[in-house]
Amino acid sequence: MSETAMPASFPSPLRGGVRGGGGADGTVALDPALPPPPAPPRKGEERGDTGSGYNFAYLDEGTKRMIRRAILKAIAVPGYQVPFASREMPMPYGWGTGGVQVTAAILGRADVLKVIDQGADDTTNAVSIRRFFAKTSGVATTTRTAEATIIQTRHRIPETPLSEGQTLVYQVPIPEPLRFLEPRETETRQLHALAEYGAMQVKLYEDISRHGHIATTYAYPVEVAGRYVMDPSPTPKFDNPKMDDCPALQLFGAGRERRIYAVPPYTRVRSLDFEDHPFRVQEFTYPCALCGAEGVYLDEVLLDDAGRRMFVCSDTDHCEGRRADGHVGTGDAA
Amino acid sequence: MLAPGFADPVHDAQDTFRAVMDALARPGRPRPLRAGLEPPAPLTPELAAVALALTDADTPVWLDAGLAAAPEVAVYLRFHTGAPLTDDPAVAAFALIGDPARCPPLGTFACGTPAYPDTATTLVLALATITEGAGLCLAGPGIRGTARVALAPLPEGFVAQCAENRADFPLGVDLILTAPGRVVGLPRSTAVTEN
């Protein structure tokens, strides 16, 4: 065999080799002491634009394709959890790695991104994710719900009704609604396959027998399009009715648990309940102390060691918008 | 000479994916699909765009008889996507169909398993025309009330095949229907009737 003969196992790009260079093209570094030259930026790789040195929206194109395929299957089977090869992200699990990967896969240059954390645009998690995408993709960001095309959220749905042009991306910690009833993934998968959700009804019934009412207040299980029972992520159950027949597309990403699921627009999302114990959302005694809004979700804010507290809108954009329009609350402790 | 792929691989792939995502999220509502590709015939620019945006070494691709008969098509797809081509529709992740009138029955493709319905084949068909507001009546997730869309040409007994495809939900194939410049989605969750 001559020195120039090609090995039989040469991975030809015409026979399903990995694309995008990076060693699969058969190049071999001759001197291991020399570091390989940096790969030239591929056409369309926006290294110059954002100055971040990363591909557009951080993820490489192969990862985006894999996530995109999972998203399409999630949309086709509403409420079903599609496994995907979740990547390590430059933030810890629990900080929204699933939502960030979904957002990175769907994000385009024309998008306007809003990120909220419990309704707030100005908390650490929301600010750092918004900056992450501003830096790695250069897309416009906003805090105004109506202006955003993609809203990444950690557990709240904005008070401002969503519209058809918007996509809501949820960060999900535990995507499996049956996980605390059945720890084995092999079993929960079978339960979903058989649509066997009796255990969930028993759990809600145990709430009633113990507390006199369904005491589940967040991550309240829903049935999507009459088939799959789904964890709506730990949103307060106050937001569950907003998921039903929503004009916006809702995507859910769980990074640590490696699952993506979806609720297409205008899809029936029913909160599980009983005829004699119908589903009810939280009610608040007071209006928002800052903007006077009623019928919105409120956060309790402790004011001092004497236990004085006030209730303010959880959705900061909604509250700011109302105050700009001249609405005023009492400004006092409840 | 080999025809080029996306002029801008990152953003053209994202544009194509978003059009397909919106199409599947809102079945029956056509979305514009501009790819700027000039693939070898009979592969259409829209089929090529979906293939380049979504397939890679992880996704076996099945070609219909017309596409498989043109070796340039296989060379083009292998070079630009790295996807393995398969002769068996039951193992294909994606199926490209250039001649929808002679598309094999939907039941010959992978429909997923009860535990993993996401392993079903995604069919990508090249139609001649897609017209909104007339023709087949669609209902289901993603559709407010009902939607109407006229599709041509279609395989024999298409409505009956769709009913069969949906009968075993969550099992079933998903359809991405393309025509020059547009794409419409028909996921397995959609109920299709004549009127």
Side-chain angles (χ1 to χ4, degrees), chain A residues 26 95 106 113 117 159 239 242 252 281 332:
Chain A
W95 282 64
I106 67 174
L113 179 69
D117 172 9
E159 305 288 357
D239 285 337
K242 296 181 195 164
F252 299 76
V281 299
D332 282 340

Side-chain angles (χ1 to χ4, degrees), chain A residues 87-149:
Chain A
R87 301 294 196 243
E88 290 270 339
M89 296 302 284
M91 62 189 75
Y93 288 132
W95 282 64
T97 53
V100 164
Q101 289 179 78
V102 170
T103 300
I106 67 174
L107 195 67
R109 279 177 296 192
D111 279 311
V112 180
L113 179 69
K114 171 182 164 83
V115 184
I116 53 173
D117 172 9
Q118 302 287 1
D121 292 279
D122 54 4
T123 55
T124 311
N125 196 204
V127 170
S128 54
I129 291 173
R130 196 164 59 236
R131 281 194 188 151
F132 172 75
F133 281 115
K135 185 174 179 183
T136 58
S137 74
V139 301
T141 60
T142 184
T143 59
R144 290 176 191 265
T145 303
E147 289 172 3
T149 58

Side-chain angles (χ1 to χ4, degrees), chain A residues 19 69 80 106 164 189, chain B residues 18 26 54 80 115 118 174:
Chain A
R19 70 165 151 176
R69 290 193 296 261
Y80 164 71
I106 67 174
E164 289 207 347
R189 205 152 263 284
Chain B
R18 272 294 272 276
R26 300 172 202 276
L54 293 173
H80 287 297
D118 55 301
D174 306 306

Side-chain angles (χ1 to χ4, degrees), chain A residues 82-257:
Chain A
V82 182
F84 82 110
S86 178
R87 301 294 196 243
E88 290 270 339
M89 296 302 284
M91 62 189 75
Y93 288 132
W95 282 64
T97 53
V100 164
Q101 289 179 78
V102 170
T103 300
I106 67 174
L107 195 67
R109 279 177 296 192
D111 279 311
V112 180
L113 179 69
K114 171 182 164 83
V115 184
I116 53 173
D117 172 9
Q118 302 287 1
D121 292 279
D122 54 4
T123 55
T124 311
N125 196 204
V127 170
S128 54
I129 291 173
R130 196 164 59 236
R131 281 194 188 151
F132 172 75
F133 281 115
K135 185 174 179 183
T136 58
S137 74
V139 301
T141 60
T142 184
T143 59
R144 290 176 191 265
T145 303
E147 289 172 3
T149 58
I150 297 175
I151 302 172
Q152 184 173 327
T153 174
R154 174 171 169 262
H155 317 333
R156 285 254 21 232
I157 302 173
E159 305 288 357
T160 310
L162 300 178
S163 62
E164 289 207 347
Q166 297 179 310
T167 303
L168 191 58
V169 179
Y170 295 76
Q171 303 169 200
V172 182
I174 310 279
E176 177 51 72
L178 304 168
R179 182 60 69 232
F180 293 109
L181 307 172
E182 170 52 66
R184 290 168 295 180
E185 170 68 13
T186 48
E187 292 302 307
T188 53
R189 205 152 263 284
Q190 280 307 312
L191 293 174
H192 282 293
L194 299 167
E196 176 48 71
Y197 298 121
M200 187 56 90
Q201 294 286 355
V202 171
K203 187 222 172 216
L204 296 176
Y205 172 74
E206 283 177 349
D207 266 9
I208 294 169
S209 64
R210 209 172 290 163
H211 306 286
H213 62 276
I214 298 177
T216 305
T217 55
Y218 66 95
Y220 192 104
V222 294
E223 179 196 78
V224 181
R227 177 57 175 83
Y228 282 95
V229 163
M230 181 189 94
D231 184 328
S233 87
T235 51
K237 68 176 178 179
F238 183 88
D239 285 337
N240 276 20
K242 296 181 195 164
M243 291 186 166
D244 181 33
D245 207 30
C246 177
L249 169 65
Q250 301 172 78
L251 300 175
F252 299 76
R256 179 182 47 213
E257 304 291 324

Side-chain angles (χ1 to χ4, degrees), chain A residues 13-14 16 19 43-44 46 56 65 68-69 72-73 75-77 80 106-109 111 164 189 193 228 247 265 267, chain B residues 7-9 11 14 17-18 25-26 29 52-56 59 78 80 82 114-118 120 122 142 170 174:
Chain A
L14 299 185
R19 70 165 151 176
K43 196 173 181 187
E46 301 247 322
F56 180 81
R65 262 196 306 278
R68 286 167 180 170
R69 290 193 296 261
L72 295 185
K73 286 303 177 196
I75 290 170
V77 190
Y80 164 71
I106 67 174
L107 195 67
R109 279 177 296 192
D111 279 311
E164 289 207 347
R189 205 152 263 284
Y228 282 95
T267 298
Chain B
D8 185 341
H11 298 292
Q14 191 271 341
F17 161 72
R18 272 294 272 276
R26 300 172 202 276
R29 188 186 290 185
L52 264 59
L54 293 173
T55 66
D56 56 27
T59 55
R78 282 189 174 126
H80 287 297
Y116 293 94
D118 55 301
T122 305
D174 306 306

